[in-house]
């Protein structure tokens, strides 16, 4: 299981890359592995405002349907439309080509509430027991 050191994480298994006021969001390697083959992705609309914890999308696999939650508050500035055509990219490149959305953050303090890679690894290990 990959847990890149340059990202932050949520207990809902989303990853976040923060660059300035823009956060790029996707689901983690652990999440895609648990879901199995991803067959459908629903993304928010560009321009949509969201608060931390809001439902921001859906990932459907052959095994389950899972909500994707907004890890931070802000406005969606871009969505990865390529995922709609090729949702299976989540299984092959969850930290790269399979990013889901970019959000302009409205509260940078929320970034400090996200899990560090070490904290996320410990959380996954605990959840897997």
């Amino acid at each position: 299981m990959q847990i890149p050191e340059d990202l932050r994480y949520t207990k809902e298994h989303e990853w976040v890359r923060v660059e300035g006021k823009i956060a790029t969001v996707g689901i983690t390697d652990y999440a895609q592995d648990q879901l199995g083959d991803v067959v459908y992705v629903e993304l928010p609309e560009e321009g949509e405002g969201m608060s931390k914890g809001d439902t921001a999308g859906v990932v459907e696999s052959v095994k389950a349907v899972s909500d994707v939650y907004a890890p931070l508050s802000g406005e969606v500035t871009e969505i990865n439309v390529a995922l709609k055509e090729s949702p299976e990219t989540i299984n092959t490149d969850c930290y790269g080509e399979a990013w889901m959305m970019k959000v302009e953050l409205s509260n940078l303090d929320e970034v400090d509430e996200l899990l560090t890679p070490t904290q996320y690894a410990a959380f996954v290990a605990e959840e897997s027991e």
Side-chain angles (χ1 to χ4, degrees), residues 38-95:
V38 175
V39 296
Y40 176 77
V41 176
E42 182 179 306
L43 299 171
E45 298 290 325
E46 289 182 6
E48 186 176 324
M50 57 182 60
S51 297
K52 180 180 174 181
D54 285 354
T55 301
V58 173
V59 176
E60 184 175 335
S61 72
V62 294
K63 292 166 53 176
V65 176
S66 182
D67 287 336
V68 176
Y69 299 97
L72 301 162
S73 301
E75 180 180 317
V76 177
T77 58
E78 189 176 350
I79 59 170
N80 187 352
V81 292
L83 279 185
K84 292 184 176 188
E85 295 294 320
S86 304
E88 68 278 3
T89 307
I90 288 176
N91 295 115
T92 58
D93 193 14
C94 66
Y95 295 117

Side-chain angles (χ1 to χ4, degrees), residues 29-36 61 63-64 127-128:
D29 190 30
Y30 176 80
Q32 70 80 22
D33 185 61
Q34 293 295 305
L35 285 167
S61 72
K63 292 166 53 176
E127 194 171 75
S128 300

Side-chain angles (χ1 to χ4, degrees), residues 3-34:
I3 302 176
E5 288 292 319
D6 61 333
L7 304 177
R8 301 295 291 262
Y9 300 89
T10 70
K11 290 185 175 179
E12 290 75 34
H13 305 289
E14 286 103 18
W15 60 260
V16 179
R17 176 179 292 119
V18 178
E19 297 167 301
K21 288 187 73 175
I22 303 296
T24 304
V25 179
I27 66 168
T28 66
D29 190 30
Y30 176 80
Q32 70 80 22
D33 185 61
Q34 293 295 305

